[in-house]
Amino acid sequence: MLQYSEKVIKQFRDMTNNGRIENADGVGKVGNPVCGDVMWIYIKVKDDIITDCKFETFGCVAAIATSSLATELVIGKSVEEALQVSNKRIVDLLGGLPVEKHHCSVLAEDGIKKAIEDYRSRVKK
Amino acid sequence: MAEIYYLDNNATTRTDPAVIEAMAPYFGEKYFNASSIYSSAQYVRKDIEAAREEAAKFINADPKEVIFTSGGTESDNFAIKGIAYANSDKGRHIITSKIEHPAVLETCRYLEKNGWEITYLNVDKYGMVSPDELKKAIRKDTVLISIMYANNEIGTIEPIEEIGAIAREAGIYFHTDAVQVAGKIPIDVKKLNVDMLSLAAHKFHGPKGIGLFYLKKGVRIHSISQGGHQERSKRSGTENVPAIIGMAKACEIAGEHLKDTAGMAEIKALRDALEKGLLEKIPDIIINGHPEKRIDNTLNVCVKHIEGEAMLIHLDFDGICVSSGSACASGSLEPSHVLLALGLPHEIAHGSIRFSFSKYNTAADVKKVLEVMPGIVEKLRKMSPMWNERDKK
Ligand SMILES: Cc1ncc(COP(=O)(O)O)c(C=O)c1O
Ligand code: FES
């Protein structure tokens, strides 16, 4: 069994922002080629500020904890600032992850980026 | 520590207090090396030999056919490498199955890298090896067949007697890993037609780090270690006396328990109650393993659209100890090779959870799981894109 930090377990246990946003302004759907997990990130944007963010994850403790924390980190940020949220930052804030689980945090970062990409492509139209 | 609901008995079992008691003197006043000549040491020798008799009785073997090892892994290594090295003049082909424990699979892969050829037999959707396919896989240069007696993840019991008869007729050595069978079904090496068999004491309320290797008389095999000639020079090294005594005690207790039909039926009843309860309370789950030919203590389920490790940690919050065959729970990030061999798709194997019972479980364990599991599944499904999309396909 993998060793998780107390922070990871706490984030997993008390997870926030899980679920979907029905009329989201952007959706990022990412999949994990390593272990087959799936993560969908929804964002709501107003005046270039991310006002809400939720996630759905079919994945492990690390995937759930990192996606939950990622949503917390981007809410209230501008789209540009949200793009700066890196998986490294997420991992650091969680007090580290087992090496085998780093790819789960990459998924969280990618999910946010994909959601913003999706939002931008919609705005352009 | 809060209350523990231990349902991971295929991983290891609680050591029986009577076993601990039997072992204690051998850490203390009976510390002698059994190979020494003076009388104090010779008493220890006698105790080891009495333990060997007890262990032999447990599997209906001759005491001379019992070698003490450090457990299941070493016994499996012994059988496979020992036969391969000693019989390479006859051939370098080995037949095993895709669902063996890593102790067998990895040993075979190791030999494969060193010039041996291995056939990994497929299993059906219940995890059964087909004796017909096995027959077809036999070649002139086949020197060993190694098929497990029961699978540790799904509990499926293989047709060992039949496979043994095929091996005997073909004149090929036959080994079975019976680690998950000890204490669950009576083992009779004569009836099974096996030449070698592996056991590990910690799976039947004995100590960890001690096992048994049954080696039928006359089998051509290499020693697993060279040294001071212990275990008839097949496995040198000063005997782990407390562990040997402990394993013998565990054999004695397990032998008695196997005769106690009510006690054995109780374990099955608990397992069945959990299976029935989960099927009633949780939609979209799959029961893995053979419906009937399955060891009575094992229940492996796949909960669709959620991941096993997340479930496992939630169960742990409630003090419930189980294991999972999910890729995310494996460290290697590969889903269980056993579940994949059954033909389950990757995403179904993802949601696997194994419950395994022992004589120490009670109805309270089943009740607890049935109380908390539906809520955990619901919570995780609510946040799973796969679950939320399931009707849209
Ligand atoms: C079927 C099987 N074989 C071998 C082993 C390895 O036994 P040990 O850990 O005692 O070496 C186990 C236990 O995990 C097992 O379940
Ligand atoms: S999502 Fe599979 S290992 Fe984390």
Side-chain angles (χ1 to χ4, degrees), chain B residues 272-336:
Chain B
D272 290 348
L274 181 60
E275 177 171 327
K276 186 163 166 281
L278 291 177
L279 284 168
E280 277 168 11
K281 287 177 183 243
I282 304 175
D284 275 331
I285 64 172
I286 298 171
I287 308 293
N288 298 310
H290 199 283
E292 289 107 37
K293 288 172 191 149
R294 178 158 49 121
I295 37 176
D296 288 342
N297 80 319
T298 304
L299 174 62
N300 187 308
V301 302
C302 282
V303 183
K304 286 192 190 169
H305 309 296
I306 55 178
E307 191 279 321
E309 188 200 72
M311 250 185 300
L312 186 156
I313 298 290
H314 268 299
L315 288 166
D316 186 36
F317 291 155
D318 286 303
I320 300 167
C321 307
V322 298
S323 64
S324 168
S326 149
C328 307
S330 76
S332 71
L333 299 175
E334 289 289 328
S336 142

Side-chain angles (χ1 to χ4, degrees), chain A residues 33-57:
Chain A
V34 183
C35 60
D37 291 287
V38 180
M39 191 185 290
W40 292 4
I41 305 268
Y42 302 82
I43 51 170
K44 211 55 198 155
V45 185
K46 192 159 184 255
D47 301 331
D48 206 45
I49 300 288
I50 296 177
T51 55
D52 198 7
C53 182
K54 284 192 189 301
F55 74 94
E56 290 181 306
T57 295

Side-chain angles (χ1 to χ4, degrees), chain B residues 337-366:
Chain B
H337 66 287
V338 177
L339 299 178
L340 293 185
L342 303 181
L344 291 176
H346 196 305
E347 68 270 19
I348 301 284
H350 226 46
S352 90
I353 287 282
R354 179 190 69 187
F355 302 92
S356 48
F357 291 80
S358 82
K359 64 177 178 181
Y360 290 132
N361 289 111
T362 67
D365 299 313
V366 175

Side-chain angles (χ1 to χ4, degrees), chain B residues 9-20:
Chain B
N9 287 281
N10 286 8
T12 197
T13 57
R14 181 178 193 137
T15 313
D16 194 304
V19 168
I20 301 172

Side-chain angles (χ1 to χ4, degrees), chain B residues 53-318:
Chain B
E53 266 176 49
E54 190 68 51
K57 200 171 84 188
F58 187 53
I59 56 171
N60 193 27
D62 189 292
K64 287 199 191 71
E65 298 173 316
V66 167
I67 295 172
F68 294 120
T69 67
S70 66
T73 303
E74 187 186 328
S75 295
D76 288 346
N77 270 265
F78 197 165
I80 296 165
K81 288 185 209 157
I83 292 293
Y85 295 157
N87 297 276
S88 57
D89 55 338
K90 185 183 169 223
R92 289 180 166 230
H93 179 238
I94 294 170
I95 302 172
T96 185
S97 85
K98 285 195 175 152
I99 63 164
E100 299 299 312
H101 189 273
V104 167
L105 281 182
E106 292 300 323
T107 308
C108 286
R109 288 204 187 106
Y110 166 80
L111 287 175
E112 215 169 9
K113 282 192 199 119
N114 287 282
W116 275 264
E117 279 181 73
I118 318 284
T119 300
Y120 301 94
L121 294 174
N122 287 314
V123 294
D124 68 11
K125 64 176 176 179
Y126 299 127
M128 287 290 253
V129 168
S130 146
D132 280 337
E133 259 189 54
L134 170 80
K135 262 189 209 163
K136 282 184 216 145
I138 293 176
R139 315 191 317 207
K140 263 211 178 68
D141 60 344
T142 308
V143 289
L144 174 69
I145 297 169
S146 177
I147 304 287
M148 70 200 320
Y149 196 161
N151 182 270
N152 45 307
E153 291 188 35
I154 55 175
T156 297
I157 302 167
E158 302 298 341
I160 294 305
E161 241 181 281
E162 211 180 329
I163 294 170
I166 294 170
R168 187 136 304 171
E169 202 187 306
I172 298 166
Y173 288 133
F174 178 40
H175 163 252
T176 191
D177 175 338
V179 167
Q180 288 297 341
V181 175
K184 297 166 190 163
I185 313 171
I187 298 175
D188 182 337
V189 290
K190 297 202 171 74
K191 215 170 123 212
L192 290 174
N193 290 315
V194 294
D195 299 301
M196 290 155 285
L197 178 142
S198 308
L199 287 191
H202 70 103
K203 308 281 187 182
F204 56 101
H205 307 291
K208 291 163 186 62
I210 181 81
L212 174 164
F213 182 53
Y214 161 73
L215 178 64
K216 197 181 149 83
K217 263 182 234 116
V219 171
R220 204 163 124 205
I221 195 164
H222 269 199
S223 307
I224 187 90
S225 62
Q226 284 72 41
H229 307 295
Q230 291 87 352
E231 300 299 285
R232 300 197 323 286
S233 292
K234 290 281 188 288
R235 199 261 187 187
S236 292
T238 298
E239 297 86 347
N240 184 351
V241 185
I244 289 170
I245 301 297
M247 178 162 72
K249 191 69 188 173
C251 287
E252 182 195 327
I253 296 169
E256 286 304 312
H257 194 240
L258 281 164
K259 286 184 214 148
D260 166 18
T261 35
M264 294 307 290
E266 202 179 305
I267 296 175
K268 182 176 186 321
L270 290 175
R271 192 273 313 266
D272 290 348
L274 181 60
E275 177 171 327
K276 186 163 166 281
L278 291 177
L279 284 168
E280 277 168 11
K281 287 177 183 243
I282 304 175
D284 275 331
I285 64 172
I286 298 171
I287 308 293
N288 298 310
H290 199 283
E292 289 107 37
K293 288 172 191 149
R294 178 158 49 121
I295 37 176
D296 288 342
N297 80 319
T298 304
L299 174 62
N300 187 308
V301 302
C302 282
V303 183
K304 286 192 190 169
H305 309 296
I306 55 178
E307 191 279 321
E309 188 200 72
M311 250 185 300
L312 186 156
I313 298 290
H314 268 299
L315 288 166
D316 186 36
F317 291 155
D318 286 303

